[in-house]
Amino acid sequence: MKYLHWSFSIFLLIALGCTEKKQMEETYSLFVGTYTNGQSEGIYKLDFNSNSGSLDSTQLMAVLPNPSFLTFSSDKQYLYAVQETADFDSLGGGVTSFSLEDGILKELNSKGTGGAHPCHVTFSEGGQIAVSNYTGGNLAVFDVETDGSLGKSQRIDHKVLDTTKAPHVHKAHFNDDGLFASDLGLDGIKRYFKKDSIWEAAHQSSIDLPEGAGPRHFVFNVDRSFLYVINELNATITVFKRDDEGSYNPVQTENTLAPDWDGGKSCADIHLSPDGHFLYGSNRGENTIVVFSVDKNTGKINLVGREPVRGDWPRNFTLDPSGQFLLVANERSSNISVFKRDEEKGTLEFVSAMDFPNPVCLLFLEN
């Protein structure tokens, strides 16, 4: 019995050692969307070590003009990338579908988005993607075929919603409540529901923001009881609470910039931590990530602090799959900054910065 006990102990130590080694060596693929008006050629892939926070092994995955935003299908077998241009065809920009096989991107097809400068793309569990045309002022919703390629589309025009303002659709999001689309020019989050395969205005057709706020990106908490919107033009974050009828109503607005900041205002991206306890937003100009704690009962936020991004013009940022690191795409300084995240306090500690040409979008391929 003593021999069996000793043998089991040795086996357990070896097993634990192997598990610890696997955790230490956990590496994730990071796909990077870029602007190609400089040295970049398209979509790249990097390896990210979730133990050290290091980035390496840069690989060009696809040559494409201005693939400024990327998204995966739910099963991670397909990737979709916008072409943020005005000359894909006579109507504006384009979107391209790729299959991802054995770590290689294979182009399936490309289609025009029906509007200039598409700046965001998102995937639906229902087998569609939505592309936000910023200058075009409209939203294109494509069916996704069984092989991952792009099929027929519906175009939702925001120009007809307001004749006094210029629409600028910036982000779309699918969930069980329908389709949500932020319009920076119309100062609102437009809502749609699906009826007989066509998207139509929902019962709360617009979640309105103050005049000149410029809603850009947004995020829901897990059960969608709260909605957080980062406003580019007035540098604020607005918290909305969902009522019993499914409508969202504002409950709080907080500034993202330091009180003594006298430069330009240009917020960009927003994300919640995996546990929902902290909210992060990017400030271009001030070049910081602002950190708020979140009261999960009321949804309200409280300022924790701001962290310089060690770069210029932080566009998109993301949290790695482990939740321990936050990575920032600094478009103008052409680098990606990595920060260690204190999961108890929400604060960020600078780890390193990697030179990278005009990064705009950071997308992890989770194992």
Side-chain angles (χ1 to χ4, degrees), residues 343-362:
E343 296 178 71
E344 297 297 322
K345 300 177 182 178
T347 53
L348 303 174
E349 180 183 357
F350 178 66
V351 175
S352 64
M354 176 185 186
D355 290 339
F356 198 94
N358 305 114
V360 182
C361 177
L362 304 178

Side-chain angles (χ1 to χ4, degrees), residues 120-168:
H120 187 275
V121 57
T122 189
F123 184 84
S124 164
E125 297 282 357
Q128 292 186 309
I129 65 165
V131 182
S132 302
N133 293 311
Y134 181 80
T135 305
N138 57 37
L139 189 64
V141 183
F142 290 85
D143 288 341
V144 174
E145 306 293 350
T146 55
D147 65 353
S149 62
L150 300 170
K152 68 179 188 300
S153 66
Q154 174 191 355
R155 187 168 59 180
I156 302 172
D157 190 2
H158 281 197
K159 291 186 178 70
V160 301
L161 302 180
D162 193 319
T163 58
T164 63
K165 296 180 178 180
H168 294 299

